[in-house]
Amino acid sequence: MFDFLKFGTGDEIPQSLTAEDDSPLDGEVFSLERLQAQAAELAVTHRIAAKEKRGFDLLARLEDNKNELVKIYRALTGAARDEPLTPSAEWLVDNFHIVEEQLREVRQDLPRKFYRELPKLESGAFENYPRIYHLAFRIVADTDNRLDAATLEAFLETYQNHSPLTIGEIWAFPISLRLALIENLRHFAVKILQSRSDRSAADELADELAKYTDKEFSGRTFELLAETFDGGRLTEKFSRAFLVQFAARLHEGDDYIGYELEKLQRRLLPEGVTLEHLAHREHNRQASAQISVANIIMSMRLLSTLDWRDFFETVSRVDRVLREDPAKAYGKMDFATRDCYRHNIERIAKRTRADEIEVAQLAVKFSEKHTDDERKNHVGYFLNTERGLTEFEHSFGYSPTWREYVVRFLRRRPTALYLTSIFALTFIFIAGMVYTAAQTLNFSIYTLIFAVLLVVIPASELAITLINRLVNGIISPNFVPKMELKDGIPETARTVVVVPTLLSDKNTISQLIGSLEVYHLANRDKELFFALLGDLPDAENEIMPSDDELIESARQTVAELNRKYEAEQTAPRFMFFTRRRIWNAGENKWICTERKRGNLHEFNLILRGLPGASYVLDEMIDFDFLKTIRYVITLDADTQMPRETARKLIGTIEHPLNRPVFDAEIGRVTKGYAILQPRIEISLPSGLRSPFSRIYSSSKGYDPYTSAVSDVYQDLFSEGSFVGKGLYDVDAFEAALDRRIPENKLLSHDLFEGLYARVALLTDVALYDDYPSNYESYAKRNHRWTRGDWQIARWVLPFVPNANGQ
């Protein structure tokens, strides 16, 4: 008869989660000491399943929780239009966008493959659940959903004193905390909605009683109450929220209804409670629910703001072991490099069922044996180089996956396999064309030969494109390790940023020196300096009337810039260099020797105090100071260097595995890199400057989330191509190119220099160049590049000339 009195219990969390002695949702709040004792007890009692189990599907439970929370949220927002919400319901409704954000983050950060690999518990109330989820659930329950970083760290530290967690488990900890908070929020949300339904039912009953007049009361009212309250224990049949709300409504009724209130109180006496006691407990429950829901929302906010990378490295025992790196380099690397090392440890441990900490300890021991080799003395040699990693894996009996086997096979014989594949695919395309033409057309043999010659280039281009796409699909981007340089560039890595250019007029000089200032503002560091290497234009005479005016203008502008930043420098931050013209018989002009290549080469001679440079020496320059410069970053006049780019480049070459090793016998850098080439992108203004640039320029604009991308040469050969903009090590660069280049033979020197000095392409570091605004300038640029490529084509042969013509 009274459908409004049918109360539902709502969905509860899985039975296994409520089967423990103390409720996981409504337990007391533990102190830090008791939490640590709880962690130690769990570490002793936990037993990990020997075999990998699929486990309870928390992702399916998450979806169910999401649907239930959305349903409750909609019900509460609908109810809010008719009556005020309780404080806990207001917290839920007002902050539901935070809950939705947590749901999205969990779905994004917890792929099923990763979830399946997490260690599962073998027995207990949380059997088949991930161990890390049980830890997260306990700390959420025992702190009444109020989390803070120090408590989380202390809890995991205590647990790991007895039972260390894996790398994957620690990364899954914030996800597990979110899952536990969402689970608790559903628990409270169901109670909030149920209590509201119970109060509405009480109101409906009270409203039904209020319909009857005083004359009718003796009959119908007693019938209603008898049907409602007759038989059984009231506190078992009805919730506190219903009884308290109904009693409150009876208090508001007429005098004759007061008799029924007394009757209700007498019915409760045998059950050991009173209406005042029930009201007190209900109000306490609502206050407690408000605090708990508020704690859940605040903890969700905290989880979104915490730096989990720092948290991970604070509690990870594997990271702690790796910081014992004999080279003392691990702790100074950037996070991405450290994470790469840990990923390889995790992979080896999973495939060989070894303990991650033991794997890390063995890597450190391997490094300690090589005190005479800087590269091998660093733990990264056995965790990040192909040869060292293979040796290290072999010690564990590691068996590569088929993909790893294919990648390693390709990298062991890259040149032969790459070129053979291109030639074979080109031959197949040409053979297919010839066969089709011979079958369908009556061509003579000479016509077919001519057709083959015409189709060779497009067929080879198609073959190269397909092979490159295949390589990029098989091989992941080659990660180049980096140092973080958190405290700035060290004095031992002092660097100068140079812009080789022509001094055409005063306005151009002012713009170029202004660019140096922009580079400085974007890359502030006390050990980073800037120089304009200005060559005088080609001329019919050694000295032209305008030379002195241009040189003096440049010197004065640089001097003004140094005075502007005088307070933050111990040596002149900005410098200007210019060279004398030398007669060139081949050009039949007075020119600055070898133009850009000669400019950099002679600047290197100045840096090392060697003779042979044709610079016009300035008395204001401290040449002893210049000898302390180790690296040079060379840029073009139209290149833009974003913020912190210089520090990233220097941090890369400062890594033990990247420092160049020059082999004097063969005259080349054989290990590490003497040149770092960043990825070159198109600047946004130049890419949008004209219809031509908008159509033909590729990706343009600044990318604040730059990450490593695929490049065939870097990924397959572990070397890139130098295009004239990047960082080089002065000593290794000059040693590799000493007496290598014939005079007046090479205009395009970049690829040639990279051949001997060894180049790393940093696809996660970008410089930005201008794009030609019209076809004429585009064609001129391509002409220069093509001419330069033909000049160095001779160097594919076994015998090539050197600087002495031999």
Side-chain angles (χ1 to χ4, degrees):
M1 179 177 180
F2 301 102
D3 293 337
F4 55 83
L5 296 178
K6 295 178 181 178
F7 306 107
T9 59
D11 286 337
E12 299 296 335
I13 59 177
Q15 182 63 32
S16 60
L17 300 187
T18 58
E20 295 188 321
D21 295 336
D22 54 343
S23 170
L25 298 169
D26 301 318
E28 62 178 302
V29 178
F30 285 12
S31 65
L32 179 59
E33 291 75 14
R34 190 169 176 187
L35 278 173
Q36 290 176 307
Q38 170 90 308
E41 180 182 347
L42 290 173
V44 173
T45 57
H46 275 168
R47 296 290 179 269
I48 302 300
K51 296 182 179 180
E52 185 176 301
K53 290 188 175 183
R54 182 174 296 275
F56 181 81
D57 194 348
L58 282 176
L59 293 174
R61 178 64 181 175
L62 174 71
E63 193 66 23
D64 187 48
N65 284 340
K66 183 203 75 170
N67 295 334
E68 186 67 20
L69 286 171
V70 169
K71 182 178 73 174
I72 294 172
Y73 167 74
R74 290 173 178 169
L76 292 176
T77 51
R81 301 188 189 98
D82 303 324
E83 59 181 273
L85 297 175
T86 61
S88 57
E90 284 186 354
W91 266 98
L92 176 60
V93 170
D94 292 344
N95 297 281
F96 196 73
H97 63 283
I98 297 176
V99 179
E100 291 179 312
E101 180 185 349
Q102 301 299 307
L103 291 165
R104 284 194 301 270
E105 289 187 10
V106 173
R107 286 198 297 268
Q108 176 181 333
D109 298 338
L110 188 61
R112 288 194 176 274
K113 183 176 183 298
F114 176 56
Y115 175 73
R116 286 197 299 267
E117 292 174 349
L118 293 175
K120 310 296 190 301
L121 292 175
E122 189 175 44
S123 58
F126 280 75
E127 181 181 357
N128 291 336
Y129 281 81
R131 171 173 61 170
I132 195 65
Y133 178 73
H134 187 201
L135 295 179
F137 200 89
R138 286 313 324 167
I139 195 172
V140 165
D142 295 337
T143 58
D144 190 19
N145 310 285
R146 186 171 184 175
L147 305 177
D148 65 82
T151 301
L152 297 175
E153 182 182 327
F155 187 83
L156 290 191
E157 282 286 353
T158 304
Y159 185 93
Q160 291 190 100
N161 288 336
H162 304 275
S163 180
L165 298 169
T166 66
I167 292 173
E169 285 181 300
I170 299 176
W171 279 125
F173 187 57
I175 305 172
S176 300
L177 290 171
R178 289 187 173 96
L179 286 169
L181 289 171
I182 291 168
E183 189 70 64
N184 274 9
L185 184 62
R186 172 182 175 163
H187 170 81
F188 286 109
V190 167
K191 284 187 175 182
I192 290 169
L193 186 61
Q194 186 60 54
S195 295
R196 180 193 168 279
S197 300
D198 292 350
R199 287 191 294 272
S200 296
D203 287 337
E204 289 186 45
L205 179 58
D207 291 341
E208 188 72 17
L209 291 175
K211 290 179 181 178
Y212 301 105
T213 64
D214 200 3
K215 296 178 182 179
E216 299 170 326
F217 178 79
S218 59
R220 185 59 180 156
T221 303
F222 282 108
E223 181 183 337
L224 276 169
L225 293 177
E227 291 178 358
T228 305
F229 296 114
D230 193 33
R233 294 171 60 88
L234 291 184
T235 53
E236 292 179 354
K237 291 178 62 179
F238 303 99
S239 69
R240 281 199 306 265
F242 175 86
L243 294 173
V244 170
Q245 181 68 12
F246 184 68
R249 291 294 305 274
L250 291 180
H251 273 297
E252 298 171 0
D254 295 331
D255 292 339
Y256 66 86
I257 297 182
Y259 171 76
E260 298 308 319
L261 180 61
E262 294 178 5
K263 182 178 178 181
L264 178 60
Q265 289 175 327
R266 287 196 299 271
R267 284 289 310 274
L268 290 171
L269 285 177
E271 300 180 25
V273 294
T274 64
L275 287 175
E276 290 77 7
H277 178 66
L278 288 177
H280 179 72
R281 290 184 63 187
E282 176 62 15
H283 294 153
N284 284 346
R285 186 197 66 78
Q286 290 186 18
S288 176
Q290 177 190 357
I291 293 173
S292 295
V293 172
N295 285 344
I296 289 174
I297 299 299
M298 297 302 291
S299 293
M300 285 180 172
R301 288 177 177 169
L302 173 72
L303 297 181
S304 296
T305 57
L306 274 180
D307 189 338
W308 289 105
R309 302 193 305 180
D310 286 346
F311 180 88
F312 171 89
E313 295 190 332
T314 300
V315 301
S316 172
R317 297 303 171 93
V318 170
D319 188 82
R320 203 167 296 176
V321 172
L322 291 177
R323 288 181 185 270
E324 299 173 6
D325 173 24
K328 306 300 180 186
Y330 179 84
K332 300 176 183 178
M333 301 188 305
D334 68 357
F335 178 83
T337 305
R338 294 195 297 267
D339 196 50
C340 178
Y341 288 12
R342 293 189 296 260
H343 174 73
N344 281 327
I345 286 178
E346 185 180 26
R347 175 177 54 81
I348 293 171
K350 282 180 181 177
R351 293 276 296 168
T352 62
R353 298 196 178 276
D355 182 76
E356 290 178 349
I357 295 179
E358 292 179 1
V359 176
Q361 289 172 339
L362 188 60
V364 173
K365 289 180 180 178
F366 270 45
S367 301
E368 289 173 344
K369 298 177 183 178
H370 300 279
T371 56
D372 57 338
D373 189 327
E374 182 186 27
R375 288 166 56 82
K376 293 184 179 181
N377 192 232
H378 170 50
V379 69
Y381 178 81
F382 297 99
L383 295 175
N384 198 58
T385 68
E386 185 174 350
R387 181 172 297 180
L389 186 59
T390 302
E391 176 186 344
F392 185 62
E393 289 173 346
H394 183 71
S395 65
F396 285 92
Y398 180 89
S399 177
T401 63
W402 71 267
R403 185 187 183 93
E404 291 170 346
Y405 180 82
V406 170
V407 170
R408 293 176 185 185
F409 180 77
L410 290 173
R411 283 179 171 164
R412 279 196 296 268
R413 304 169 182 83
T415 304
L417 292 173
Y418 183 67
L419 295 180
T420 301
S421 300
I422 291 174
F423 287 142
L425 201 55
T426 302
F427 176 79
I428 291 173
F429 289 152
I430 294 174
M433 184 278 296
V434 170
Y435 178 79
T436 303
Q439 294 294 319
T440 57
L441 301 173
N442 189 20
F443 282 163
S444 68
I445 186 64
Y446 300 106
T447 305
L448 283 176
I449 292 174
F450 180 72
V452 167
L453 293 176
L454 287 179
V455 83
V456 164
I457 293 179
S460 63
E461 284 291 328
L462 179 59
I464 291 172
T465 301
L466 292 176
I467 294 298
N468 288 353
R469 180 63 62 89
L470 180 63
V471 170
N472 289 337
I474 295 175
I475 302 179
S476 301
N478 192 341
F479 179 77
V480 182
K482 300 176 181 64
M483 305 299 286
E484 190 170 18
L485 302 186
K486 185 183 298 184
D487 299 324
I489 300 170
E491 187 175 338
T492 55
R494 186 170 288 160
T495 304
V496 60
V497 179
V498 302
V499 179
T501 188
L502 284 176
L503 303 178
S504 55
D505 55 69
K506 290 184 179 180
N507 185 50
T508 301
I509 292 172
S510 178
Q511 290 178 357
L512 291 171
I513 296 176
S515 297
L516 296 184
E517 183 180 12
V518 172
Y519 296 153
H520 167 61
L521 294 175
N523 297 268
R524 285 180 176 267
D525 199 288
K526 66 177 183 178
E527 300 299 340
L528 191 62
F529 300 85
F530 305 86
L532 181 66
L533 308 183
D535 276 351
L536 296 167
D538 300 354
E540 301 298 329
N541 300 309
E542 181 179 3
I543 299 175
M544 299 297 290
S546 61
D547 291 352
D548 290 341
E549 185 179 0
L550 291 175
I551 293 173
E552 188 59 28
S553 173
R555 286 177 176 171
Q556 288 181 2
T557 308
V558 167
E560 290 173 5
L561 202 55
N562 278 318
R563 284 193 294 271
K564 183 177 180 179
Y565 295 98
E566 186 175 5
E568 57 183 74
Q569 60 190 26
T570 55
R573 181 75 53 197
F574 303 93
M575 295 171 280
F576 169 71
F577 297 87
T578 187
R579 296 190 295 164
R580 295 187 300 272
R581 296 186 183 92
I582 305 295
W583 175 254
N584 189 294
E587 297 284 341
N588 199 30
K589 287 182 180 179
W590 292 85
I591 70 173
C592 293
T593 307
E594 296 289 319
R595 295 192 171 90
K596 180 182 176 181
R597 184 185 72 80
N599 203 345
L600 289 174
H601 170 62
E602 294 188 10
F603 182 67
N604 294 339
L605 296 180
I606 291 289
L607 294 181
R608 290 300 169 259
L610 299 175
S614 58
Y615 278 98
V616 178
L617 301 182
D618 188 344
E619 295 178 356
M620 301 300 294
I621 295 177
D622 184 352
F623 291 95
D624 290 333
F625 166 77
L626 290 179
K627 294 176 184 178
T628 64
I629 290 176
R630 184 174 181 181
Y631 304 120
V632 172
I633 298 176
T634 175
L635 305 174
D636 286 347
D638 60 350
T639 302
Q640 299 175 34
M641 185 169 68
R643 185 174 179 269
E644 299 297 328
T645 299
R647 185 174 294 190
K648 292 177 183 177
L649 290 171
I650 298 165
T652 302
I653 203 166
E654 278 287 286
H655 193 279
L657 298 180
N658 297 330
R659 291 172 188 160
V661 177
F662 177 72
D663 190 327
E665 292 186 4
I666 61 177
R668 287 194 296 112
V669 174
T670 55
K671 299 175 183 176
Y673 304 97
I675 302 175
L676 301 182
Q677 173 63 63
R679 190 175 82 245
I680 305 298
E681 297 288 354
I682 305 301
S683 65
L684 185 60
S686 68
L688 302 176
R689 189 174 294 150
S690 66
F692 174 83
S693 61
R694 282 197 297 269
I695 294 172
Y696 285 96
S697 62
S698 57
S699 60
K700 44 189 172 286
Y702 292 94
D703 177 12
Y705 307 105
T706 301
S707 57
V709 296
S710 296
D711 178 81
V712 171
Y713 301 114
Q714 182 65 40
D715 298 343
L716 185 59
F717 299 91
S718 297
E719 291 187 51
S721 299
F722 185 41
V723 297
K725 292 171 278 287
L727 177 145
Y728 65 83
D729 181 294
V730 175
D731 294 325
F733 184 85
E734 282 300 311
L737 295 172
D738 184 33
R739 295 186 296 277
R740 286 283 188 187
I741 306 177
E743 294 293 327
N744 295 321
K745 293 294 184 182
L746 295 182
L747 175 67
S748 181
H749 56 95
D750 310 331
L751 294 175
F752 182 89
E753 291 165 345
L755 176 66
Y756 293 98
R758 206 162 188 265
V759 184
L761 175 62
L762 304 186
T763 58
D764 54 349
V765 180
L767 296 176
Y768 295 86
D769 261 2
D770 284 353
Y771 194 82
S773 59
N774 54 65
Y775 180 75
E776 182 180 2
S777 56
Y778 173 81
K780 288 180 179 179
R781 187 181 70 168
N782 268 15
H783 173 74
R784 293 195 306 271
W785 289 354
T786 304
R787 177 187 172 190
D789 290 343
W790 278 110
Q791 285 178 344
I792 63 173
R794 184 176 179 181
W795 270 261
V796 302
L797 301 175
F799 300 97
V800 293
N802 60 15
N804 300 324
Q806 299 175 350

